[in-house]
Amino acid sequence: MIWTIITFNESSTINATFNAIGAIFGSGAFIAAATMVAGMALLGMVVNGLQDGAKETNIPKFLGLLIIFSLGFTTKTSVSLQNELTGNTVKVDNIPIAIAVPAAGISQIRYKFLEMTETAFSLVDQNRISSSGYLSALNTFANLRQATVFASCPSGDSKSNINGYNICRSLANYTAECTAIKANRHKLGTVMREQNAIDSLIYNSNAFATAMTKQDGSVQTLGCKDAGAILKTALNSSAFEALADNINSKNESTISSIQKALISIGEDSSAGRNFLQALYLDRTMFDGTVAYLQDAGASDMAENLVSSEIQRNAQWAVQV
């Protein structure tokens, strides 16, 4: 028989715990050692009971406890760790009955009480722990941020082609050769931080040019305005949403996850696309700024910027 244990976002910790238990009790050496200790304890109690004035040892009671221990920890079964949010199931063998049965019972009872409470308070889907997990919105934002904070091309280079252009490579060039110039030449850095990601990205001038990488690897030189129009169309397309699905660990589209999270915290779900674009472009725009500073001979400023970014990312890693 397999005992089912329901988990939520804590599934990785529970998986590791039960795998460790399975490894320990799967070894005959541990059972033999535990039996030896129990036998030595029994012998010690008998010897102690023979001493003058000592209280008589309750041998039947001790033997009963020994039998219970033997049945509970030497009889092993399998457990199924079921992640209610993702639908993933992990089977772990060699779990003692004395651990598997109570753990399964507690998780099932907890889940039933949870469902009853959610029904009683008429909670909508995104606020139901049973379907969305603890702190659902925060988990969604944190997971997506984790997927994008260290990667200039979060979806992977081979999966980043839209309308015949490799978006990741083209964006890397565009941010260094167009966006950074817009920010520094026209003193728009502060204003751009207050705009949405696409408006900040695009530089409507053909006075400067950039290299756009096509899907086949060839390079096309275009003015910033013309190249920006291509990138804007790509980033506002349904193809970008499909591309962004590669960074989502949930069994739904990334944009849908973001919109549900925004609704659950009382924000406008229509801002979901802007939020996704900002997440996706953040690292690329940072790298472009660093490249611009290095090309402009301001390597000291580039080093300071990179140092600040490393410290911020270190703090982010610790918090996550």
Side-chain angles (χ1 to χ4, degrees), residues 57-312:
T57 303
N58 190 337
I59 301 298
K61 181 179 179 180
F62 185 83
L63 287 176
L65 293 174
L66 188 61
I67 291 172
I68 292 174
F69 170 82
S70 178
L71 292 176
F73 288 92
T74 61
T75 303
K76 290 171 285 189
T77 185
S78 298
V79 297
S80 174
L81 305 177
Q82 178 180 312
N83 189 322
E84 195 66 19
L85 301 185
T86 65
N88 295 331
T89 300
V90 177
K91 180 184 176 184
V92 182
D93 298 319
N94 297 317
I95 303 299
I97 285 287
I99 295 176
V101 175
I106 291 171
S107 75
Q108 296 287 345
I109 293 172
R110 179 186 69 168
Y111 187 68
K112 291 299 180 183
F113 272 113
L114 177 61
E115 286 188 319
M116 291 168 62
T117 302
E118 291 173 339
T119 300
F121 285 94
S122 302
L123 298 180
V124 294
D125 181 67
Q126 61 268 17
N127 289 327
R128 293 175 70 94
I129 295 175
S130 60
S131 59
S132 299
Y134 303 103
L135 300 175
S136 175
L138 180 60
N139 282 320
T140 296
F141 296 145
N143 290 336
L144 293 175
R145 176 61 175 160
Q146 183 74 1
T148 58
V149 69
F150 299 115
S152 297
C153 190
S155 298
D157 185 77
S158 62
K159 299 178 180 179
S160 299
N161 298 308
I162 299 179
N163 299 335
Y165 289 90
N166 184 290
I167 299 302
C168 282
R169 297 187 197 179
S170 298
L171 279 171
N173 293 330
Y174 191 88
T175 53
E177 298 166 347
C178 296
T179 307
I181 292 175
K182 169 186 174 182
N184 291 279
R185 185 181 180 88
H186 300 288
K187 311 299 182 184
L188 295 175
T190 301
V191 175
M192 290 167 63
R193 293 187 184 93
E194 298 173 354
Q195 297 176 328
N196 67 57
I198 300 300
D199 289 340
S200 297
L201 175 74
I202 304 303
Y203 184 26
N204 288 315
S205 171
N206 280 330
F208 298 89
T210 185
M212 294 285 288
T213 303
K214 291 191 172 183
Q215 185 170 343
D216 60 6
S218 61
V219 176
Q220 179 184 20
T221 300
L222 294 173
C224 291
K225 181 178 180 180
D226 296 335
I230 294 174
L231 290 173
K232 184 174 183 178
T233 299
L235 293 170
N236 283 327
S237 68
S238 58
F240 173 70
E241 291 184 13
L243 178 152
D245 289 342
N246 293 305
I247 66 174
N248 191 16
S249 59
K250 294 188 176 183
N251 295 325
E252 62 181 351
S253 69
T254 303
I255 191 69
S256 178
S257 293
I258 292 176
Q259 288 173 338
K260 287 182 179 179
L262 290 173
I263 290 173
S264 70
I265 61 175
E267 295 294 335
D268 184 4
S269 63
S270 64
R273 175 184 286 276
N274 289 341
F275 185 87
L276 175 59
Q277 291 169 339
L279 275 177
Y280 202 89
L281 292 172
D282 181 66
R283 183 70 195 186
T284 298
M285 296 181 77
F286 170 80
D287 290 343
T289 302
V290 172
Y292 168 80
L293 291 173
Q294 290 174 335
D295 291 342
S299 57
D300 56 334
M301 295 179 64
E303 290 174 3
N304 288 336
L305 184 59
V306 170
S307 178
S308 298
E309 179 76 357
I310 291 173
Q311 292 179 9
R312 188 193 74 175

